Structure formats: C-alpha cells, structure tokens
C-alpha cells in the first residue's frame, strides 16, 4: 500500500505563492523612456514575451510540485515481517522415561500429558526468547534447537511419547547435551541470558556423566538450571506411616543441581502446582517481550526528484537566454 512518510512537508506547497504575495516587487534603477509608437511597431514581440513568461511560470509550478512530492517521501509498504529480538535462551529438558506414564497428577491424564499441557502454555508465553527442547530417558536427544518459533517447539513437545528415549533416566547426560548445544550456538553464550529447565519424575539411573558434576560444568559455562520434580505425593501405609511411593524422586540431587548453578528446585504433585511452578519461573526469568513486527518500505521519492531535475534544465536555459 502507498504510504506518505512525511505528510507535513505538503505545507510547503503554497510557499512560492506566499512569497510572491508578500515580497515587494523588484525595483529597477533604469530610466524609463516613453515612446508611444513602440507598441504599434512591435506588438508581436511583447505578446511572445508574455507567453514565454507564462510558460516559465507554469514550468516552475510543475517543478515545485515535484519537489514537494519528493519531500513528503512516498513509500510502498510491504507485508509485516517479524523482527528478530535478543531475549533469553531457554532450553527445556523433559523426562519421557517409562514412569512418566503414571496417572497421578490430573485424573485420567498421565504425567507427560500434564507436562505437555502446562509446559506448552509456558512456551507460548516466552515471546522474544529462543526456546529449545530436549527429551531424555535412557539417553537424551535434541527434539527442537533454540528457535524463536515457539509454535513449532510446542508442537514438538505435544508429539513426545513416553519411552521413546528409553525407560531409564539420564539426568547428567541431559545437562551435558544442553551444554553442548549452547556451545555450538552460533550466537554465542552470555552469562545470565541462558537457562535450562530440567523436569523429571525420577532419579538418575542411566548415562555417563553424574548429574552434580554436570551441574558444576553448567555453572562454569554460565548456565542456570531450574529443576522440577513431578509426580504424586507418596502413599501412606498403616498408622499414617509412609508405605509405597508413586514418586521415585531424588530431591537431594535435584536441589544440588539447582544450587550449583544459581537456580532453584520446585516440586509439583499435581497440575495446579505445576502451573504455579512455571508461573514462578516466568517471574524469575521474564520473557523479552511481545513479538515485534515491521513493514518493509520501498522509497519512491527519487522518481519525482529525478523528474524535477530533468525539468529544471529547460528552466535554467530559459533563464540564461533571458539574462543574455
């Protein structure tokens, strides 16, 4: 669509007329000699002079219109385009081991389905940030690299399946993969702008790197880790004592990981508690802001400016002949 960038420049349009009305007529110091027979001798020459003056005035008017048209900066605006923003880098490591199919957090939904709903809404709120997704079980793998395309990351999370990465839990290797991806990030790492949100319902039972050791390496790299333990509360046995447990969390290790990196540990036994956890992380690590957009503009001021330059040539030649 056509857009005028500087419409206020159109106020210059009547400037030549105002100057002609306000400025006094040019004075001449020459002595006039009245010859009454001259008009009878050369009427054609006088008429030609008046026509030439009118043509010069019309040419000047067109020239001025073209200059004002260039001054208002006509543009053609293209379709809106997203503006890349420099926000946080948020890596989400989600446990998809076999125990995540337990249904103890929200009725008929298993733990992973609850996480998909709640964490999906968290991802949708991270406007301006780059979010990545790691799924881990016996081994970790990168499901979505760091990207500002939040809808795609959320879609990948929704497609996660319990047990697709193996039945066990490799917490340390998940942290190690996060560190590797951050080091390979072409945009570089800046301390304080990168967080890892590690969610699990169990303890470390697989992998090569011990979780706390991996957390120390993360702290050296400037990676802050928030750990979330999910799963129902332990069941009570006889006489109010704890009997069996539906949660096999190693809370001591999860707290140690968070403390080593300057993060925090959270416990969520149901969907409502998990929503509060992600809301708390949102407050601790606020997103960069809403997505920003711009409309690319193609400038067209050079067209009337070029036309004005071309028309100024005969005007200058006429002025030169008049002076001669």
């Amino acid at each position: 669509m056509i857009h005028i960038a500087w419409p206020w420049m159109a106020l210059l349009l009547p400037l030549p007329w105002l100057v002609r009305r306000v400025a006094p007529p040019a004075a001449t110091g020459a002595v006039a000699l009245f010859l009454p027979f001259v008009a009878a001798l050369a009427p054609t020459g006088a008429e030609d002079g008046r026509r030439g003056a009118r043509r010069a005035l019309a040419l000047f008017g067109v020239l001025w219109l073209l200059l004002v048209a260039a001054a208002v900066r006509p543009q053609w605006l293209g379709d809106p385009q997203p503006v890349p923003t420099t926000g946080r880098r948020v890596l989400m490591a989600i446990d998809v081991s076999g125990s995540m199919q337990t249904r103890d957090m929200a009725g008929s939904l298993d733990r992973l389905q609850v996480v998909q709903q709640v964490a999906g809404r968290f991802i949708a709120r991270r406007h301006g940030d780059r979010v990545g997704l790691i799924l881990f079980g016996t081994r970790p793998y990168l499901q979505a690299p760091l990207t500002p395309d939040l809808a795609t990351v959320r879609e990948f999370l929704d497609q996660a399946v319990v047990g697709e990465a193996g039945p066990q839990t490799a917490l340390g290797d998940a942290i190690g993969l996060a560190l590797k991806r951050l080091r390979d990030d072409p945009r570089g790492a800046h301390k304080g702008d990168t967080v890892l949100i590690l969610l699990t319902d169990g303890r470390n039972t697989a992998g090569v790197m011990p979780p706390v050791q991996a957390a120390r390496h993360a702290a050296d790299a400037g990676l802050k880790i928030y750990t979330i333990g999910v799963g129902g509360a332990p069941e009570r046995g006889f006489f109010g004592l704890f009997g069996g447990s539906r949660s096999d969390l190693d809370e001591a290790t999860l707290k140690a990981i968070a403390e080593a990196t300057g993060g925090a540990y959270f416990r969520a036994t149901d969907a409502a508690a998990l929503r509060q956890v992600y809301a708390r992380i949102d407050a601790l690590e606020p997103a960069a802001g809403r997505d920003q957009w711009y409309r690319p503009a193609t400038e067209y001021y050079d067209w009337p400016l070029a036309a004005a330059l071309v028309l100024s040539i005969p005007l200058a030649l006429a002025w030169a002949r008049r002076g001669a």
Side-chain angles (χ1 to χ4, degrees):
M1 61 175 290
I2 291 294
H3 172 70
I4 302 301
W6 295 347
W8 51 269
M9 292 295 289
L11 297 175
L12 297 175
L13 195 60
L15 183 60
W17 179 81
L18 291 174
V19 171
R20 186 175 183 183
R21 291 297 301 269
V22 174
T28 176
V31 178
L33 177 62
F34 177 69
L35 298 174
F37 56 87
V38 171
L41 292 177
T44 305
E47 183 64 25
D48 290 343
R50 284 193 293 272
R51 282 199 299 267
R54 286 195 296 270
R55 284 195 298 268
L57 185 61
L59 190 60
F60 177 79
V62 173
L63 180 64
W64 183 252
L65 286 174
L66 290 171
L67 289 176
V68 173
V72 298
R73 284 186 60 195
Q75 301 172 335
W76 178 266
L77 295 182
D79 295 331
Q81 302 291 332
V83 178
T85 55
T86 55
R88 286 184 172 81
R89 302 185 302 171
V90 180
L91 271 172
M92 302 182 66
I94 306 294
D95 186 353
V96 292
S97 62
S99 57
M100 287 293 286
Q101 65 185 350
T102 306
R103 303 175 187 272
D104 61 351
M105 293 184 67
S108 61
L109 300 179
D110 62 34
R111 292 173 180 173
L112 180 59
Q113 289 172 329
V114 173
V115 171
Q116 286 170 327
Q117 291 183 358
V118 179
R121 287 191 286 268
F122 170 80
I123 293 172
R125 295 193 299 267
R126 303 304 300 186
H127 297 283
D129 290 345
R130 296 165 60 215
V131 180
L133 177 63
I134 293 174
L135 301 179
F136 67 94
T138 306
R139 58 191 177 279
Y141 68 93
L142 184 71
Q143 181 76 342
L146 285 166
T147 175
D149 187 354
L150 305 180
T152 298
V153 178
R154 186 172 183 179
E155 182 178 353
F156 280 141
L157 175 60
D158 291 339
Q159 294 173 355
V161 177
V162 172
E164 63 180 314
Q168 296 179 300
T169 305
L171 294 176
D173 286 3
I175 298 173
L177 178 58
L179 283 173
K180 182 179 184 304
R181 298 307 303 178
L182 292 175
R183 291 184 181 128
D184 295 341
D185 185 8
R187 300 195 184 187
H190 302 281
K191 289 190 176 182
D193 75 345
T194 308
V195 297
L196 170 65
I197 303 174
L198 179 69
L199 182 145
T200 183
D201 69 342
R203 64 180 63 246
N204 188 72
T205 57
V208 176
M209 182 175 292
V212 177
Q213 180 181 345
R216 295 194 186 102
H217 291 305
D220 293 338
L223 174 63
K224 183 186 296 185
I225 303 178
Y226 293 96
T227 54
I228 304 175
V230 298
E235 296 178 335
R236 292 185 178 273
F238 294 105
F239 306 108
L241 299 176
F242 286 104
S245 175
R246 290 175 294 179
S247 177
D248 192 31
L249 280 174
D250 183 359
E251 293 192 272
T253 297
L254 294 178
K255 290 178 181 178
I257 291 172
E259 291 174 0
T261 60
Y265 167 69
F266 303 95
R267 180 75 169 93
T269 58
D270 54 31
L274 187 59
R275 285 192 291 270
Q276 293 176 1
V277 168
Y278 278 111
R280 179 59 178 159
I281 295 176
D282 262 334
L284 293 172
E285 305 289 341
R290 300 295 301 176
D291 290 335
Q292 301 180 16
W293 298 77
Y294 82 103
R295 301 188 71 172
T298 302
E299 299 281 354
Y300 285 124
Y301 71 89
D302 49 346
W303 289 92
L305 192 61
L309 178 62
V310 172
L311 287 180
S312 67
I313 296 175
L315 189 62
L317 292 175
W319 187 268
R321 284 196 301 269
R322 181 180 177 183

